Amino acid sequence: PLIVVGLRGKVVWLTFWSVTSREGPIVVDRLDQIWRGLEKEGGFASFALVIDNDEPERVRDLIATRSLRLPAYYASAETCLAYGAAAGDLPLHVVIDDDGRILAITRGSALEEIEEMVKARLRVLHPAGGALFAAVTSRDGRPGTDVVGGAMER
């Protein structure tokens, strides 16, 4: 029911939400901030799956007026059914690890715990914190005799 291509090796956080729910706008504001931070760490992807397929104008307006950058897509009825995403019981969060296994399924707006779980998994995938290292040789060709190497940010 949900096909996501090109995400092998990434931790994926899916959130089903509704623009008509009381928590919907609050959750997407917080998700936008959290997801922006997680994207900087690399190896992360996120999708806000809107169940309000009959409310496209409200969804677009909410995203535009709040200057949100989160990737929002409409979830099909089949996808909502498969994940148990019902209008009265949102938001629903699904975290999938880099091997495609579901790490967590949870409901509600306690996003900090999910964020910490995702960060922990990203630290396992990228223990150097996204830093790139290079071998350094000196002018005379010997390894690192007069140059001190370090991490370069991406």
Side-chain angles (χ1 to χ4, degrees):
L2 179 66
I3 299 172
V4 185
V5 178
L7 297 176
R8 179 178 300 276
K10 293 188 178 194
V11 177
V12 180
W13 182 344
L14 308 173
T15 297
F16 292 85
W17 66 285
S18 170
V19 71
T20 60
S21 75
R22 182 176 46 87
E23 288 189 54
I26 298 164
V27 167
V28 293
D29 280 342
R30 292 178 53 216
L31 282 173
D32 192 57
Q33 294 169 357
I34 291 169
W35 288 355
R36 285 184 197 198
L38 290 170
E39 287 169 355
K40 293 176 186 174
E41 300 198 25
F44 175 74
S46 57
F47 300 92
L49 300 166
V50 185
I51 69 162
D52 305 305
N53 291 326
D54 57 343
E55 300 275 353
E57 297 82 22
R58 287 182 68 182
V59 173
R60 280 193 293 273
D61 288 346
L62 177 86
I63 291 171
T65 58
R66 294 171 185 252
S67 301
L68 301 174
R69 293 191 333 202
L70 57 83
Y73 300 91
Y74 292 104
S76 68
E78 181 184 10
T79 299
C80 290
L81 183 63
Y83 283 91
D89 203 11
L90 297 174
L92 170 68
H93 306 279
V94 180
V95 179
I96 304 168
D97 75 4
D98 50 296
D99 289 324
R101 294 180 302 232
I102 294 179
L103 286 178
I105 299 176
T106 186
R107 296 182 189 280
S109 50
L111 304 178
E112 292 76 19
E113 291 177 20
I114 304 168
E115 178 184 15
E116 288 308 312
M117 177 181 46
V118 170
K119 283 181 178 180
R121 186 64 190 163
L122 291 173
R123 282 192 295 274
V124 169
L125 294 175
H126 306 289
L132 301 175
F133 292 89
V136 179
T137 56
S138 66
R139 287 181 209 88
D140 64 3
R142 290 181 293 161
T145 55
D146 60 358
V147 180
V148 177
M152 300 184 314
E153 292 297 319
R154 289 184 187 203

